[in-house]
Amino acid sequence: METETQNKEKPDAPVNARRGYALDTLAARQSHFFEPRTGAVCTPIFQSAAFRHPALGESTGFDYSRCGNPTRQELEETIALLEGAKYGLAFASGMGAISSIIKIFKPGAHIIVSEDLYGGTYRLFNSYYSSYGYSFSFVDTSDFSKIEKAFLPQTKGIFIETPSNPMMKITDIKMCAGFIHQKGGLLIADNTFCTPYFQNPLALGADFVVHSGSKYLEGHNDTLCGFIAHSKDEYEQPLRDAQMSEGAVLSPFDSYLTLRGIKTLALRMEKHWSNALAVAKWLQTNSKVKAVFYTGLESHPQYALSQKQSRGHSGMISFYVKDIRDVKKLLSGVRLILFAESLGGVESLITYPWVQTHEAIPEDMRRRAGVTEELVRLSIGLENPADLIADLEQAFEGGAAGEK
Ligand SMILES: *Cc1c(COP(=O)(O)O)cnc(C)c1O
């Protein structure tokens, strides 16, 4: 790949520097516009563990699928293109990608982390990496003064999730990058919620992007995958070595499914956004709802910042109910929306972070971040928004509307 780093200042210019194609074109047509050997319009599933060597000391570029696979490579190049990165690496899950990115730091390193973040990431850092000599400070990174306060002599990096999960707080990517670079450290941004279609952290100064591709990128609630995207030559080989040595690689079939999902990323994200905006506006008018957190609402406290660093909004909404009994009503009353623990797919899901996605986080930290018993999270899918609103309405009423 001879990609150039995307240096675009303005997030409203979604054109990749490599080919001059817009992001929707790159998502639809991906790294190779067709498979070069056969002309296949879709990248085939190269379901082969090993690849024949033409002669001693010669290789087709592929030897063994843990080290490299043509279907996975097409996906890795595609995520790099979408993120305006030079390099992309695909892993068996988002956690596989996050676990690998932490290894760019040596034991002894201290990392500042968004306190409002995916519970599994908290668990990986706090219960696992902390016993291997790493230390972490979990702070509200949407408040820059808290990052400055958490900085220690041994701080080597900042890991942010923006928008955050589940409170939808926005961290200023450019400001974090400026701060940590001046201290000689690195910025990692989890871009799962926005996807590269709406936000490119590397263009705003982040050094690495990580993704749970299991969410919007793959988009169909049927595959796990994870990514790292970056443009740092000096880190490419160490990251490849980590991927190849540890073996948490994405399979050819899952690579194919993810490539297939990404083809419709642009269409899906636009629809997730308009659907979620309609549902969020309806929730705001609902007398049983205390507060709504959606980055696409003008009432979001950081709406201006999110408009500045992102081009759109995902399908993720969180809200507080006034009466805690309504949580149970909602979770057991929904018919169309499914009570399940993921996000970013075709099907709308409702989640209770307190006991599901964020249970791994200690209670006091959960409360500090706003993750209380009253908080409900929605991943708005691709159904008709009127049907979703009607479903929530009947669930709030205790399912009184009857079967549709
Ligand atoms: C789901 C998720 C992860 C973990 O990814 P998996 O693919 O489930 O391993 C990491 N970060 C965020 C923001 C997520 O939503």
Side-chain angles (χ1 to χ4, degrees), residues 74-116:
E74 171 70 13
L75 176 62
E76 291 180 328
E77 289 177 8
T78 298
I79 194 71
L81 278 172
L82 292 173
E83 283 292 10
K86 202 162 167 183
Y87 306 109
L89 297 96
F91 296 84
S93 68
M95 295 320 301
I98 294 171
S99 182
S100 294
I101 198 68
I102 289 304
K103 300 201 184 72
I104 62 171
F105 303 112
K106 297 271 177 291
H110 170 256
I111 301 150
I112 299 168
V113 185
S114 300
E115 71 177 353
D116 177 26

Side-chain angles (χ1 to χ4, degrees), residues 92-96 98 117-118 120-121 159 161 163 165 190-193 210-215 223-226 342-343 377:
S93 68
M95 295 320 301
I98 294 171
L117 92 164
Y118 179 68
T121 308
F159 183 102
E161 225 180 80
N165 179 8
D190 184 329
N191 201 26
T192 299
F193 272 31
V210 293
H211 278 285
S212 170
S214 324
K215 314 295 169 53
T223 303
L224 298 186
C225 86
S342 189
L343 64 104
R377 192 187 78 181

Side-chain angles (χ1 to χ4, degrees), residues 99-249:
S99 182
S100 294
I101 198 68
I102 289 304
K103 300 201 184 72
I104 62 171
F105 303 112
K106 297 271 177 291
H110 170 256
I111 301 150
I112 299 168
V113 185
S114 300
E115 71 177 353
D116 177 26
L117 92 164
Y118 179 68
T121 308
Y122 174 82
R123 183 172 48 223
L124 179 76
F125 291 172
N126 196 58
S127 321
Y128 193 77
Y129 274 103
S130 63
S131 60
Y132 285 88
Y134 296 84
S135 63
F136 303 89
S137 291
F138 297 90
V139 304
D140 179 357
T141 53
S142 71
D143 177 349
F144 185 66
S145 68
K146 300 225 166 100
I147 297 180
E148 284 180 305
K149 253 186 234 145
F151 188 84
L152 300 171
Q154 66 272 31
T155 303
K156 299 288 183 220
I158 304 177
F159 183 102
I160 57 170
E161 225 180 80
T162 184
S164 67
N165 179 8
M167 299 309 295
M168 316 299 162
K169 286 183 184 167
I170 312 283
T171 293
D172 191 323
I173 300 172
K174 216 178 223 177
M175 215 170 191
C176 280
F179 173 77
I180 198 70
H181 289 162
Q182 178 222 323
K183 307 275 189 190
L186 297 162
L187 176 65
I188 303 161
D190 184 329
N191 201 26
T192 299
F193 272 31
C194 272
T195 81
Y197 184 64
F198 283 152
Q199 177 171 283
N200 295 119
L202 300 181
L204 297 164
D207 300 286
F208 299 94
V209 166
V210 293
H211 278 285
S212 170
S214 324
K215 314 295 169 53
Y216 289 108
L217 283 166
E218 200 281 334
H220 292 72
N221 280 328
D222 58 10
T223 303
L224 298 186
C225 86
F227 296 109
I228 296 173
H230 73 105
S231 299
K232 296 216 157 320
D233 294 333
E234 68 274 32
Y235 286 101
E236 174 59 3
Q237 201 51 50
L239 284 170
R240 284 278 158 208
D241 288 346
Q243 183 196 37
M244 187 267 285
S245 305
E246 293 180 358
V249 293

Side-chain angles (χ1 to χ4, degrees), residues 136-399:
F136 303 89
S137 291
F138 297 90
V139 304
D140 179 357
T141 53
S142 71
D143 177 349
F144 185 66
S145 68
K146 300 225 166 100
I147 297 180
E148 284 180 305
K149 253 186 234 145
F151 188 84
L152 300 171
Q154 66 272 31
T155 303
K156 299 288 183 220
I158 304 177
F159 183 102
I160 57 170
E161 225 180 80
T162 184
S164 67
N165 179 8
M167 299 309 295
M168 316 299 162
K169 286 183 184 167
I170 312 283
T171 293
D172 191 323
I173 300 172
K174 216 178 223 177
M175 215 170 191
C176 280
F179 173 77
I180 198 70
H181 289 162
Q182 178 222 323
K183 307 275 189 190
L186 297 162
L187 176 65
I188 303 161
D190 184 329
N191 201 26
T192 299
F193 272 31
C194 272
T195 81
Y197 184 64
F198 283 152
Q199 177 171 283
N200 295 119
L202 300 181
L204 297 164
D207 300 286
F208 299 94
V209 166
V210 293
H211 278 285
S212 170
S214 324
K215 314 295 169 53
Y216 289 108
L217 283 166
E218 200 281 334
H220 292 72
N221 280 328
D222 58 10
T223 303
L224 298 186
C225 86
F227 296 109
I228 296 173
H230 73 105
S231 299
K232 296 216 157 320
D233 294 333
E234 68 274 32
Y235 286 101
E236 174 59 3
Q237 201 51 50
L239 284 170
R240 284 278 158 208
D241 288 346
Q243 183 196 37
M244 187 267 285
S245 305
E246 293 180 358
V249 293
L250 196 65
S251 75
F253 184 59
D254 288 346
S255 298
Y256 167 82
L257 284 175
T258 307
L259 282 166
R260 177 155 153 157
I262 287 175
K263 289 180 185 182
T264 54
L265 179 69
L267 276 174
R268 287 187 288 104
M269 292 313 289
E270 298 287 352
K271 171 83 168 156
H272 283 298
W273 178 11
S274 62
N275 271 5
L277 189 60
V279 174
K281 283 185 173 163
W282 175 79
L283 284 168
Q284 273 190 316
T285 65
N286 189 312
S287 60
K288 294 181 174 162
V289 173
K290 191 154 80 181
V292 181
F293 307 96
Y294 181 60
T295 56
L297 286 174
E298 282 173 37
S299 58
H300 187 286
Q302 295 166 294
Y303 184 71
L305 175 59
S306 83
Q307 289 294 100
K308 206 171 80 180
Q309 68 182 18
S310 323
R311 294 175 292 268
H313 304 277
S314 74
M316 298 306 297
I317 304 171
S318 289
F319 61 96
Y320 286 134
V321 292
K322 285 183 187 156
D323 183 341
I324 192 144
R325 285 169 302 185
D326 280 338
V327 171
K328 202 170 170 192
K329 270 194 196 168
L330 281 170
L331 297 179
S332 48
V334 283
R335 298 191 171 119
L336 182 61
I337 300 170
L338 305 173
F339 176 27
E341 209 165 333
S342 189
L343 64 104
V346 168
E347 300 82 9
S348 290
L349 306 181
I350 189 166
T351 303
Y352 191 34
W354 180 254
V355 298
Q356 291 185 301
T357 48
H358 291 69
E359 206 200 357
I361 299 176
E363 185 172 330
D364 61 327
M365 200 179 136
R366 262 182 285 170
R367 289 198 189 283
R368 196 171 70 220
V371 182
T372 68
E373 295 97 322
E374 301 164 308
L375 188 80
V376 176
R377 192 187 78 181
L378 286 169
S379 169
I380 297 299
L382 303 181
E383 305 90 341
N384 187 291
D387 286 337
L388 295 172
I389 289 168
D391 194 38
L392 288 168
E393 196 155 33
Q394 66 80 28
F396 265 125
E397 296 307 321

